[in-house]
């Protein structure tokens, strides 16, 4: 069986040139010291409150995400190609979202079937013909990248609704600099710490036109949300208020925040609340997380929302197979980053193939997230495969299937010592006046041997991501 691409070592077992200094340094560190550093990192993360809520976990709802001290390193050339591909992809996705709520050109051109859009649970008819600043729907995008085969990069999925994890990217860097300052004298690593500044700049860029000095807030579902640490972290780092729905109200089609000095108008909301819960008057009537009347202020153009309502239509997994065609249709360019080959189970021939090859494939729910609702064929028992087969036959349009990629590995500290573990990457792309991003992203690592599931909710950890300056 062919081994997956190793980020640090070539086929001869030698360290790749951009890892050579690190590999030499690592060989000089004792196991006892590295274990001590790992314990120190865990303690600091707990003290600072860098935790992740795990729903239904008997061991306790709050835990730190395991942090690994071996960084994932990109050369400047690798990153340059990735960055170009990410800019291209997010540009096309934003144009697609605008199009499906306005001109519907891509539907008329026969590239995407109308029912794939209008029958999609993520499509929001309330957004038809509503204009938003700069026609930018996904101000914050988290695009999941994997490396497979001989080292080729693929986009695994697009996260455009409320992508999370960026706080861990920044904190992992701070932790590495604290634990191993000498490493940063050996390497010129591009900084990521300015992400909150770029985020605030991006949010202000989509303010309502008539507003000169916008008031920005972060809207959180509250402290029981799994990513609550990140909500508080980003609000603090940007120097803006963290609010819940009960802290806001709508009057005269404007949104106001309750403060000790009286009501203050809110111009831009970075929301970490799903679409359905934003306005109980027009969306889910049982929501206690949103603001009654919010949609009226939004439609009137008196408040901006990042990301826009209805953005989820572009990160639904049933739409993912069409992104390369979107790039060609809207930009007239060939995709720089490839999709993973995908079978759409709503198509008879794709379903037939999927059912015949379930033990070899990864099957995902089109609306699924967090590593839930999926089958990893090679890692599943016969009973699990047959159970999933029944779900697939009953409701095939809910699923897509993909070949099981041998995700690249990176040496990782585990209980048995240093061993290869599968990883992915989530860079964060910001769209305001221009498309910007910090050099790097969140590298997630599957800590269980052989596992391909890197999600924090499924026991994954994180690594610092280094992009070397040229």
């Amino acid at each position: 069986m062919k081994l997956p691409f190793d980020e640090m070592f070539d086929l001869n077992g030698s360290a790749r040139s951009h890892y050579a200094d690190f590999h030499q340094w690592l060989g000089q560190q004792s196991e006892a010291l590295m274990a001590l550093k790992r314990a120190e990192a865990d303690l600091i993360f707990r003290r600072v409150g860098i935790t992740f809520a795990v729903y239904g976990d008997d061991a306790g709802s709050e835990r730190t995400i395991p942090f690994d001290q071996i960084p994932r390193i990109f050369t400047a050339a690798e990153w340059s190609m990735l960055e170009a591909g990410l800019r291209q992809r997010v540009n096309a996705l934003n144009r697609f979202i605008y199009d499906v709520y306005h001109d519907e050109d891509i539907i008329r051109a026969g590239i995407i079937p109308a029912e794939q859009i209008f029958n999609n649970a993520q499509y929001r008819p309330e957004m038809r013909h509503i204009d938003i600043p700069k026609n930018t729907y996904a101000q914050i995008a988290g695009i999941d990248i994997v490396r497979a085969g001989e080292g080729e990069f693929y986009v695994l999925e697009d996260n455009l609704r409320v992508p999370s994890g960026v706080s861990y990217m920044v904190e992992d860097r701070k932790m590495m600099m604290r634990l191993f300052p000498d490493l940063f004298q050996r390497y010129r690593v591009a900084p990521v710490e300015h992400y909150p500044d770029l985020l605030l700049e991006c949010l202000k860029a989509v303010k309502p036109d008539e507003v000169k000095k916008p008031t920005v807030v972060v809207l959180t579902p509250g402290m029981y949300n799994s990513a609550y640490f990140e909500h508080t972290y980003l609000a603090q780092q940007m120097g803006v208020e963290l609010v819940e729905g009960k802290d806001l109200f709508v009057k005269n089609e404007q949104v106001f925040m309750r403060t000790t000095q009286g009501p203050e108008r809110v111009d831009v909301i970075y929301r970490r609340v799903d679409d359905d819960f934003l306005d109980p008057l027009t969306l889910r009537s049982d929501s206690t997380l949103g603001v009654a009347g919010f949609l009226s202020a939004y439609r009137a153009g008196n408040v901006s929302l990042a990301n826009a309502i209805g953005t989820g239509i572009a990160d639904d997994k049933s739409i993912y197979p069409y992104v390369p065609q979107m790039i060609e249709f809207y930009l007239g360019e060939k995709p720089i980053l490839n999709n993973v080959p995908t079978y759409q189970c709503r198509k008879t021939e794709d379903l037939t193939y999927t059912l015949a090859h379930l033990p070899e494939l990864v099957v995902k729910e089109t609306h699924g997230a967090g590593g839930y609702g999926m089958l990893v064929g090679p890692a599943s028992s016969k009973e699990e495969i047959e159970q999933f087969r029944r779900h697939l036959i009953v409701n095939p349009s809910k699923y897509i299937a993909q070949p099981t990629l041998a995700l690249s590995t990176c040496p990782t500290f585990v209980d048995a010592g240093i061993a290869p573990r599968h990883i992915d990457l989530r860079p964060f792309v910001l769209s305001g006046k221009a498309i910007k991003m910090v050099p790097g992203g969140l590298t997630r690592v599957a800590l269980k041997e052989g596992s391909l599931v890197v999600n924090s909710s499924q026991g994954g950890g994180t690594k610092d991501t280094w992009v070397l300056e040229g």
Side-chain angles (χ1 to χ4, degrees):
M1 182 178 171
K2 194 172 182 181
L3 292 174
F5 183 89
D6 190 298
E7 298 286 338
M8 187 184 293
F9 300 109
D10 62 23
L11 292 174
N12 298 318
S14 301
R16 300 185 189 278
S17 58
H18 58 293
Y19 267 101
D21 279 353
F22 178 83
H23 183 240
Q24 181 187 32
W25 173 90
L26 186 60
Q28 297 167 352
Q29 313 306 308
S30 70
E31 261 189 55
L33 174 66
M34 297 304 283
L36 197 64
K37 294 289 187 181
R38 181 164 63 172
E40 182 183 343
D42 188 60
L43 180 63
I44 293 169
F45 280 152
R46 284 191 181 280
R47 281 180 178 166
V48 176
I50 305 175
T51 56
F52 184 89
V54 181
Y55 304 125
D57 181 10
D58 294 336
S61 61
E62 294 286 335
R63 65 167 69 154
T64 57
I65 297 179
F67 167 71
D68 186 63
Q69 305 106 299
I70 297 181
R72 193 250 186 97
I73 304 177
F74 286 102
T75 65
E78 285 175 328
W79 180 254
S80 180
M81 185 277 293
L82 272 177
E83 184 177 18
L86 291 163
R87 288 172 179 272
Q88 179 194 60
R89 192 174 181 97
V90 170
N91 185 8
L93 286 166
N94 268 311
R95 292 197 185 195
F96 164 72
I97 304 169
Y98 173 85
D99 186 25
V100 297
Y101 290 116
H102 289 79
D103 306 323
E104 301 174 3
D105 290 336
I106 200 164
I107 299 171
R108 280 202 302 275
I111 294 171
I112 302 181
E115 64 271 17
Q116 281 293 95
I117 303 294
F118 302 131
N119 294 341
N120 195 297
Q122 297 303 320
Y123 179 76
R124 295 287 178 262
E126 301 88 351
M127 290 298 292
R128 283 178 62 81
H129 304 300
I130 293 181
D131 292 325
I132 63 172
K134 297 181 171 51
N135 298 332
T136 302
Y137 286 75
Q139 286 84 13
I140 303 100
I143 310 296
D144 290 347
I145 303 286
V146 296
R147 189 172 353 210
E150 302 298 320
E152 301 90 355
F153 291 106
Y154 295 90
V155 174
L156 191 61
E157 61 183 55
D158 305 292
N159 299 283
L160 306 180
R161 280 175 277 179
V162 282
S164 64
V166 75
S167 57
Y168 304 105
M169 172 190 80
V170 179
E171 285 300 309
D172 283 356
R173 174 61 52 80
K174 289 181 182 176
M175 184 59 70
M176 281 297 286
M177 294 180 81
R178 176 175 183 151
L179 295 179
F180 308 111
D182 54 317
L183 273 176
F184 293 87
Q185 295 172 350
R186 291 176 176 239
Y187 279 97
R188 290 176 58 207
V189 182
V192 297
E193 298 88 337
H194 58 299
Y195 175 86
D197 298 329
L198 288 184
L199 175 59
L200 184 58
E201 179 186 312
C202 165
L203 295 172
K204 287 181 175 179
V206 294
K207 65 177 177 55
D209 289 338
E210 78 283 1
V211 175
K212 295 289 184 282
K213 292 185 177 180
T215 296
V216 179
V217 299
V218 177
L219 176 63
T220 177
M223 65 183 293
Y224 296 109
N225 183 266
S226 62
Y228 183 68
F229 161 74
E230 179 157 292
H231 307 165
T232 59
Y233 177 88
L234 289 173
Q236 182 185 47
Q237 293 294 311
M238 289 190 290
V240 305
E241 293 293 332
L242 179 72
V243 299
E244 296 181 33
K246 63 188 178 184
D247 301 318
L248 304 176
F249 66 93
V250 174
K251 184 177 180 181
N252 299 328
E253 295 188 329
Q254 294 181 340
V255 178
F256 293 89
M257 169 173 52
R258 295 180 173 90
T259 77
T260 53
Q261 283 80 41
E264 180 181 352
R265 179 177 165 178
V266 172
D267 306 300
V268 182
I269 298 175
Y270 175 28
R271 54 81 172 245
R272 301 298 293 260
V273 175
D274 288 336
D275 283 359
D276 288 341
F277 299 95
L278 285 170
D279 186 346
L281 295 185
T282 51
L283 298 165
R284 273 188 62 157
S285 59
D286 61 342
S287 172
T288 59
L289 304 177
V291 187
F294 172 78
L295 212 60
S296 66
Y298 189 51
R299 282 178 175 145
N302 292 329
V303 65
S304 296
L305 194 66
N307 288 342
I309 294 173
T311 302
I313 187 66
D315 77 3
D316 186 90
K317 293 180 181 66
S318 68
I319 299 298
Y320 162 91
Y322 298 102
V323 179
Q325 292 162 277
M326 287 179 204
I327 291 170
E328 295 196 31
F329 183 73
Y330 294 115
L331 308 181
E333 300 169 0
K334 293 291 183 186
I336 297 170
L337 295 171
N338 291 320
N339 269 18
V340 177
T342 302
Y343 302 97
Q344 301 178 60
C345 296
R346 65 184 181 82
K347 296 181 177 179
T348 304
E349 63 273 23
D350 285 11
L351 176 63
T352 301
Y353 180 88
T354 300
L355 291 172
H357 295 83
L358 275 181
E360 308 159 25
L361 300 172
V362 174
V363 188
K364 304 175 183 177
E365 286 185 348
T366 54
H367 305 325
Y372 296 104
M374 64 186 289
L375 174 82
V376 180
S380 301
S381 66
K382 286 185 178 178
E383 184 181 346
E384 288 168 335
I385 289 171
E386 291 312 307
Q387 185 179 13
F388 211 93
R389 184 189 303 276
R390 290 192 287 273
H391 291 308
L392 197 49
I393 292 170
V394 170
N395 205 338
S397 63
K398 276 181 60 177
Y399 298 95
I400 61 165
Q402 296 170 331
T404 306
L405 294 183
L407 306 188
S408 66
T409 62
C410 188
T412 301
F413 277 99
V414 293
D415 291 340
I418 297 177
R421 291 292 184 266
H422 295 291
I423 58 172
D424 79 349
L425 177 73
R426 178 176 291 180
F428 295 88
V429 186
L430 299 174
S431 301
K433 289 180 180 175
I435 298 177
K436 295 185 177 181
M437 51 196 302
V438 296
L442 178 67
T443 290
R444 302 182 297 178
V445 53
L447 295 173
K448 296 175 187 173
E449 185 175 2
S451 174
L452 297 171
V453 182
V454 299
N455 306 76
S456 308
S457 54
Q458 305 283 305
T462 66
K463 290 174 173 283
D464 191 13
T465 308
W466 293 5
V467 174
L468 303 184
E469 295 184 321

